[in-house]
Amino acid sequence: MTKRMSFKFKWVALVATLIVGIGSWQVLAHAHADSSSDEPIVTLGSSLTSSQKTGTINTLTASLNGADYQTLTVNGDTLVKYLNPSGESFTSSSGVWSSAMIQKTSSGSGINVKILNYNGSNNITTITANQYKNAALTAGITDANIYVTSATPIDGSGALAGVYAAYAKSGNSLNTKQVTAAQDELSTLSGITQANKSKDGYTDSQLNNAVAGAKKEMAQKGSNITKNEITTIVNQQITNNNLTNVITNNQKTEIINLLVKIRDSGALDSSSFKTQANSLMKNIQSNAKGVFSKLNTKENQNLLQKMWSAIVNFFSSIFKSIFD
């Protein structure tokens, strides 16, 4: 082979290597772009100081073990956009301290919320984890881990507005009517919990489980469900969750009216709403086993029935062995 031919082959090989390399780079770049859309998004309140931002990020991303995430600043305009349609009165200059991280999870896993302590203190003073879960479900959020914290004591509204904004940023559109209904729900359930928190036989988990159960049954019937049917469902769910002697008639009416708003928001049109509501019930019950193990639920009735059947069968076998 001549030197000229050798040079030509080397040149061809170099060009081929460059083409393959560029193609590989494009594939990797595309893969990174695709994966970035699934990265967790950390929302940071605009009122946080520099050190509070660092502390908030460290608190929210601890579970990521160094994995990548995106950040999003939540300010007064965010509160106005997502919370004011439900009757709030935030302005562009409103302060925001509560922050959140939303992380997409596998299909069917449902919505899970954890309120994280900031420097050893739970600074979310009003909204509970279960209330965040139900509001997220109503707003149209599906299959996500949501972490919430605050560097200072605050009700937690800013964190939820951040979750809405982060979910939208990740390419998931939210229905304005559903978000408004979710905010009404948050206000209603929070008010009922505040009114009943000192009563024996009441927990926020029971209330939110009842509402999630009602949503599941409503989804089974579809968007044409009537107010009378919703009323029947609410009465049954209150009974199922041992809240009959706790929830007042006025509070029951509030829950019914809230679920009518959720129906009218279009939430029931989603094919995943029923599945997400069912997952939410399991999530709530799993996180409050001590509460729900004492309730007269279908699951507990089935367990008692099985135990009774086992006892009956045991003694029947004894009598049979004696008289046979």
Side-chain angles (χ1 to χ4, degrees), residues 46-47 74-77 79-80 84 89-97:
S46 58
S47 302
V74 177
N75 55 27
D77 289 332
L79 302 183
V80 170
N84 278 15
S89 55
F90 293 107
T91 67
S92 295
S93 59
S94 293
V96 185
W97 288 268

Side-chain angles (χ1 to χ4, degrees), residues 176-189:
T176 302
K177 287 184 177 180
Q178 285 182 239
V179 173
T180 301
Q183 288 308 116
D184 288 337
E185 178 175 16
L186 200 61
S187 177
T188 299
L189 300 189

Side-chain angles (χ1 to χ4, degrees), residues 141-153:
I141 294 174
T142 60
D143 301 322
N145 286 336
I146 299 172
Y147 301 87
V148 179
T149 196
S150 178
T152 60

Side-chain angles (χ1 to χ4, degrees), residues 206-248:
Q206 289 165 265
L207 174 65
N208 279 274
N209 188 61
V211 171
K215 290 177 183 177
K216 176 186 173 182
E217 291 191 47
M218 287 168 61
Q220 289 174 330
K221 290 184 175 294
S223 56
N224 292 325
I225 186 171
T226 66
K227 185 174 182 178
N228 285 338
E229 289 174 320
I230 292 175
T231 300
T232 300
I233 289 172
V234 169
N235 285 329
Q236 187 59 55
Q237 284 297 327
I238 287 175
T239 299
N240 290 349
N241 286 274
N242 280 15
L243 293 173
T244 305
N245 297 324
V246 179
I247 299 296
T248 66

Side-chain angles (χ1 to χ4, degrees), residues 21-175:
I22 291 172
S24 299
W25 176 83
Q26 288 177 329
V27 170
L28 288 172
H30 182 67
H32 178 74
D34 286 345
S35 64
S36 66
S37 64
D38 289 330
E39 286 178 353
I41 299 179
V42 175
T43 72
L44 296 170
S46 58
S47 302
L48 296 171
T49 65
S50 178
S51 62
Q52 286 175 336
K53 284 182 181 179
T54 300
T56 298
I57 289 174
N58 290 340
T59 299
L60 291 172
T61 63
S63 63
L64 298 181
N65 298 318
D68 291 338
Y69 59 87
Q70 302 177 46
T71 59
L72 175 68
T73 298
V74 177
N75 55 27
D77 289 332
T78 314
L79 302 183
V80 170
K81 178 179 180 178
Y82 289 102
L83 308 188
N84 278 15
S86 65
E88 300 290 350
S89 55
F90 293 107
T91 67
S92 295
S93 59
S94 293
V96 185
W97 288 268
S98 59
S99 305
M101 180 178 77
I102 182 168
Q103 180 181 32
K104 193 66 180 169
T105 55
S106 59
S107 178
S109 59
I111 301 165
N112 184 54
V113 176
K114 292 184 180 179
I115 296 178
L116 304 176
N117 288 347
Y118 184 93
N119 288 342
S121 298
N122 177 8
N123 291 327
I124 304 298
T125 60
T126 305
I127 305 173
T128 68
N130 288 327
Q131 290 166 15
Y132 277 119
K133 293 171 189 175
N134 256 317
L137 168 63
T138 297
I141 294 174
T142 60
D143 301 322
N145 286 336
I146 299 172
Y147 301 87
V148 179
T149 196
S150 178
T152 60
I154 204 75
D155 71 335
S157 295
L160 189 57
V163 168
Y164 295 150
Y167 198 72
K169 180 183 179 181
S170 64
N172 300 281
S173 59
L174 291 175
N175 182 308

Side-chain angles (χ1 to χ4, degrees), residues 292-308:
F292 290 100
S293 63
K294 300 173 185 176
L295 300 187
N296 188 30
T297 61
K298 283 186 177 180
E299 290 80 5
N300 290 342
Q301 289 171 2
N302 290 338
L303 177 60
L304 291 172
Q305 183 62 46
K306 288 178 182 178
M307 291 173 63
W308 176 249

